[in-house]
Amino acid sequence: MSCDLTDPAILEAYQAIVSGTPTNWLILGYHDTRDKISLYSKGTGGLEELRSNLTEEVLYGFVRIDDRFALLAYVSEQVSGLRRARALVHGKAVGALFKNTHVQINSSNLAELSDEKVRSRLGLLEGPPTPDPSGSPVMPNSPAPVAAPRPMTPVSPAPPATFNNINTAIPTPQSVASEVSSPVRVASPALSNGGTTTPRTERQLEIESAERKMREEMDRQKKAEVLKRRKETQEREAREQEVFAHKQALELEQKRKYESDRAAREAMKKQLIEMEKLRGSGLSGYITIQIHGSPFWRRRFYVMRGQAISFYRDEFDRKSAISELRLGGRVVNIEDASLDCLIPNSFRIDLYTGESHLFFSDATKDKELAIAGFMKCNESA
């Protein structure tokens, strides 16, 4: 499953990206060939432009984001299993050619290649907050600071009207400001009613009214801020509860599915044991295997007998097995590998020796039968 990467345009576009030129992405593809990879396109519009050029086939992308580089292996969900397996091998060859790669991302749909997910894989999302040029610490969701008002000119001979204890100022009407800046005229002390003075002039009443309105506006702003913060807290708590409930439901569903699959496989395993006792032969069929340490996939015909699995080139050539896998208590884990391989009906067998073998079947039913067969062969003698 080797591939041809001799197209000189590939290295030319790659060097342009890593050297910091305006070109910051490229796409490679097969052009209807089996293993010859060539340059499809390149551009300067970054990840968004790269995504818009992806089509429903096997493609390899390389993109520069800030000062980091990502290799993308895009395998459409419409691609067959054998082509997916070949793409997995060829993707390693492309990665070996593009040595500046910081992360390789395997994907089967465009949603997995969003800006946020790719930048997260590159470690570009986290960072310290931008400092305020004024030197003040940046506080999230805090209201903009309001300048404190200047003290008003004292009124004579009445007591001075000041605003020194006010934290948030409301602009004073021009009429009030002009009146405060000039002395208040006081009624003459010699009046016809015995010489008493007028308690408060009209201007003093206007000043007191302006101060009262300012205090009321301050109280209104404070109450509005408290209500806003309370609402934000309630909304955040509601979102967190929704996420937690969804996570619990998902975990419960996964647990139920795991238990259901395990019970079904146990039942199939017992049926296989009885069938082998009655017929004298075990489960057999076609399966594709990638043995530990090999990048290649091989389609083989397998036969399970006792605690051993024999592999043949096909069902008509059973004179001598190509290879044999003896289990008998050596398997420590069997699990689905569809997300790792991007191949449907694939699974992984982990042995206690540290080796792992990958398999995929032609259909879901064949996969479940094969897993049940592996479980049967793993039973101790």
Side-chain angles (χ1 to χ4, degrees):
M1 287 190 183
S2 60
C3 59
D4 184 357
L5 287 165
T6 57
D7 182 2
I10 296 177
L11 282 180
E12 181 182 348
Y14 168 70
Q15 291 295 339
I17 294 173
V18 300
S19 60
T21 67
T23 301
N24 55 19
W25 66 268
L26 62 81
I27 294 179
L28 309 179
Y30 292 90
H31 279 302
D32 296 327
T33 65
R34 178 181 175 83
D35 55 14
K36 182 175 177 59
I37 299 178
S38 55
L39 179 67
Y40 267 29
S41 55
K42 60 182 179 179
T44 60
L47 181 60
E48 181 178 359
E49 187 177 19
L50 183 150
R51 279 197 308 268
S52 66
N53 282 269
L54 294 176
T55 54
E56 299 301 316
E57 54 181 308
V58 177
L59 297 172
Y60 307 97
F62 185 72
V63 61
R64 181 182 73 233
I65 302 178
D66 295 347
D67 58 345
R68 302 184 72 80
F69 305 94
L71 175 62
L72 315 176
Y74 179 74
V75 184
S76 168
E77 295 177 350
Q78 303 176 8
V79 175
S80 63
L82 287 177
R83 289 184 63 195
R84 285 173 176 269
R86 185 165 62 247
L88 190 63
V89 176
H90 291 180
K92 296 178 180 179
V94 176
L97 180 65
F98 294 169
K99 300 183 182 299
N100 289 61
T101 300
H102 292 97
V103 64
Q104 179 170 344
I105 303 174
N106 297 329
S107 172
S108 58
N109 61 73
L110 295 180
E112 298 171 355
L113 298 178
S114 65
D115 289 5
E116 181 180 358
K117 291 184 178 180
V118 175
R119 292 180 72 88
S120 176
R121 293 287 301 274
L122 286 170
L124 295 175
L125 286 184
E126 297 182 357
T130 305
D132 190 339
S134 65
S136 303
V138 179
M139 300 297 290
N141 300 326
S142 60
V146 182
R150 293 176 297 177
M152 301 179 66
T153 306
V155 178
S156 178
T162 63
F163 301 91
N164 293 333
N165 296 327
I166 297 177
N167 294 325
T168 305
I170 302 301
T172 306
Q174 294 181 357
S175 59
V176 177
S178 62
E179 293 167 356
V180 172
S181 62
S182 60
V184 178
R185 288 177 294 179
V186 184
S188 173
L191 298 177
S192 59
N193 60 358
T196 60
T197 60
T198 303
R200 285 179 296 180
T201 66
E202 182 179 353
R203 291 180 181 176
Q204 286 177 321
L205 292 173
E206 290 176 356
I207 293 173
E208 292 175 0
S209 175
E211 291 178 344
R212 183 172 60 256
K213 290 180 180 179
M214 293 172 67
R215 288 193 296 269
E216 291 173 353
E217 181 64 20
M218 288 172 54
D219 292 339
R220 187 193 66 79
Q221 289 184 355
K222 289 180 180 179
K223 291 178 180 178
E225 183 66 23
V226 170
L227 292 175
K228 178 183 177 182
R229 291 180 180 177
R230 184 180 301 168
K231 182 179 178 181
E232 290 175 349
T233 301
Q234 291 174 348
E235 291 176 350
R236 184 178 66 254
E237 292 176 349
R239 288 194 301 269
E240 291 175 352
Q241 290 177 357
E242 183 179 354
V243 170
F244 179 73
H246 178 72
K247 182 179 179 181
Q248 279 190 324
L250 184 61
E251 290 177 351
L252 182 61
E253 181 63 24
Q254 290 176 343
K255 183 178 180 181
R256 288 176 179 173
K257 186 177 183 304
Y258 174 79
E259 295 296 336
S260 176
D261 291 346
R262 183 176 182 84
R265 288 167 183 169
E266 287 290 339
M268 282 190 289
K269 182 183 73 173
K270 293 178 180 179
Q271 292 177 3
L272 292 174
I273 293 173
E274 294 298 326
M275 181 180 69
E276 187 170 342
K277 288 180 180 179
L278 292 174
R279 299 195 319 179
S281 60
L283 182 67
S284 61
Y286 281 98
I287 198 167
T288 305
I289 178 174
Q290 185 186 65
I291 63 173
H292 180 78
S294 172
F296 303 108
W297 291 89
R298 307 292 186 188
R299 185 173 174 82
R300 296 288 183 252
F301 185 82
Y302 70 90
V303 177
M304 296 184 179
R305 299 186 186 90
Q307 297 177 342
I309 306 174
S310 301
F311 296 96
Y312 303 89
R313 291 190 183 278
D314 54 56
E315 59 182 312
F316 305 106
D317 182 14
R318 300 196 206 178
K319 293 182 180 179
S320 61
I322 296 176
S323 61
E324 187 175 74
L325 183 61
R326 291 191 171 275
L327 301 181
R330 299 175 64 202
V331 176
V332 296
N333 184 47
I334 302 177
E335 66 178 33
D336 184 88
S338 300
L339 294 179
D340 296 333
C341 301
L342 298 179
I343 300 176
N345 304 317
S346 59
F347 59 96
R348 188 182 73 247
I349 304 294
D350 298 326
L351 305 182
Y352 77 90
T353 58
E355 298 179 354
S356 295
H357 304 291
L358 292 171
F359 302 85
F360 73 84
S361 302
D362 297 334
T364 303
K365 181 180 179 181
D366 298 336
K367 168 190 170 183
E368 296 300 325
L369 278 172
I371 291 177
F374 274 101
M375 293 170 62
K376 180 195 74 69
C377 293
N378 191 52
E379 294 289 336
S380 301

